[in-house]
Amino acid sequence: MSILKYSSIILAALCLSACQEKKAPKQEVVESPYKKGTFGYDLDFLKRKDSVVVLNSKDGSGQIIISPKYQAKVFTSTADGVNGKSFGWINYKTFSQEKLDEHMNAYGGEDRLWLGPEGGKFSLFFKPGTKMEFANWHTPAAVDNEAWKLVSNTDKKASLSKSAKLLNYAGTTLSLLINRDIQIIEPADVKKILGIDMDSKVKSVAFHTTTTLTNTGDKAWEKQSGAPCIWNLDMFTPSPQAVTIVPYNDGTGKVATTDYFGEIPKDRIKYNNGILLFKADGKSRGKLGMQAARAKNMAGNYDAENNVLTITLFDTNPKAIYLNQEWRTDRDPFVGDAVNAYNDGPLADKTQMGPFYEIESVSPAAFLKPNEKLTHNHSVFHFTGDKQELNNIVLKTLGISLQDIQAAFK
């Protein structure tokens, strides 16, 4: 599916619908009638932290939680109301920390926003002249710990915004405005967008984010000064049988970069007729990235243990320039990934942030003149229910069967 087709289909459908090691903080006990792991439990937890916004599908079974205080995150979703499984990963202990972490405050969220590049000559995470190592790595506050403005909301859509000034590694100050529109997608529109059929034996929830970046400064963002990019990261709870699926186009050269945190072991990554499969069990830290020429505009995950199929759909543009995110300055800063996948695992000191896994999409570089805008679209779909129906959906969208997914790492 092309970027143009994706953007037009999703927007049309939505318009129709809208008419290092530290002492771990003490885990907070939440009074809730719902079991931990359910949407109701997470809703009760997050209500204690923020005036959250809940979007609902027409029948109320599909719901998502959005937080203005916590950087306009979609924290989690459910396909089966308050008693249903909570699909997003939430890092409960981070909320109880006595003070902010200077590097990153990992609250979680099944769709959280970052800005790139993380590393390289125009990094937003390292001050000019500092060595690119963890001690000097600091997530920009606007996407880490500062609250956003809730511009408007209904039970179907929320709009949020944040202004910021960021200094990049090249010494350029970037003045910017971020707008984030989040909308729930009704089941009828899910069928149209993905071109699938599903009946009452499948329960689903889906949402769409449109993130717009505006240059509010008086100078253009160019190759000499550096430019930011939009970065959607979806955090989910892993399981021993969860597998991330990344379809890719034919081409020359390597399919993906697989050595971000050391080479991913061969028994954790497979290639199957144009589809990359990556074990997402939260037990071995690894990250891969795929450039826009190779990446399709869809990825996903199947968790056989919980029988949950997740699909993400996003903009890609093989003709655009993407930014290198690596923590080094000796690589071309304008050759980077459009799609990433991450599996969490223990660090060398045996500590671990998660476990969780991520599916990520990245926009092209925002080479913008003053007042110009760049927009990135990203959608998340969850399905659970009858396995034969799920098999039909995954074959139609990602081009692989549940059987082949499950067999990849046996």
Side-chain angles (χ1 to χ4, degrees), residues 13-27:
L14 291 176
C15 286
L16 289 171
S17 304
C19 305
Q20 285 338 47
E21 186 172 1
K22 299 177 180 179
K23 184 177 179 182
K26 186 176 180 181
Q27 183 72 47

Side-chain angles (χ1 to χ4, degrees), residues 264-270 279 408-409:
I264 298 170
K266 291 182 179 180
D267 62 351
R268 305 188 65 87
I269 188 168
K270 305 289 182 183
K279 196 168 178 62
F409 298 106

Side-chain angles (χ1 to χ4, degrees), residues 19-87:
C19 305
Q20 285 338 47
E21 186 172 1
K22 299 177 180 179
K23 184 177 179 182
K26 186 176 180 181
Q27 183 72 47
E28 182 174 346
V29 177
V30 178
E31 292 183 8
S32 175
Y34 305 103
K35 292 181 180 179
K36 193 172 184 179
T38 65
F39 184 82
Y41 178 93
D42 284 343
L43 180 58
D44 285 342
F45 177 86
L46 292 167
K47 279 182 175 179
R48 295 166 62 95
K49 306 298 178 182
D50 187 20
S51 300
V52 297
V53 175
V54 179
L55 305 187
N56 300 273
S57 62
K58 288 179 181 178
D59 65 3
S61 58
Q63 299 182 43
I64 69 172
I65 302 172
I66 301 165
S67 173
K69 180 180 178 180
Y70 294 99
Q71 302 78 56
K73 297 183 197 311
V74 177
F75 260 117
T76 191
S77 64
T78 181
D80 199 17
V82 289
N83 290 298
K85 178 177 173 58
S86 186
F87 293 125

Side-chain angles (χ1 to χ4, degrees), residues 330-350:
D330 59 345
R331 297 273 177 89
D332 188 336
F334 304 117
V335 177
D337 300 325
V339 181
N340 295 102
Y342 174 77
N343 182 58
D344 193 42
L347 300 172
D349 62 2
K350 307 301 182 184

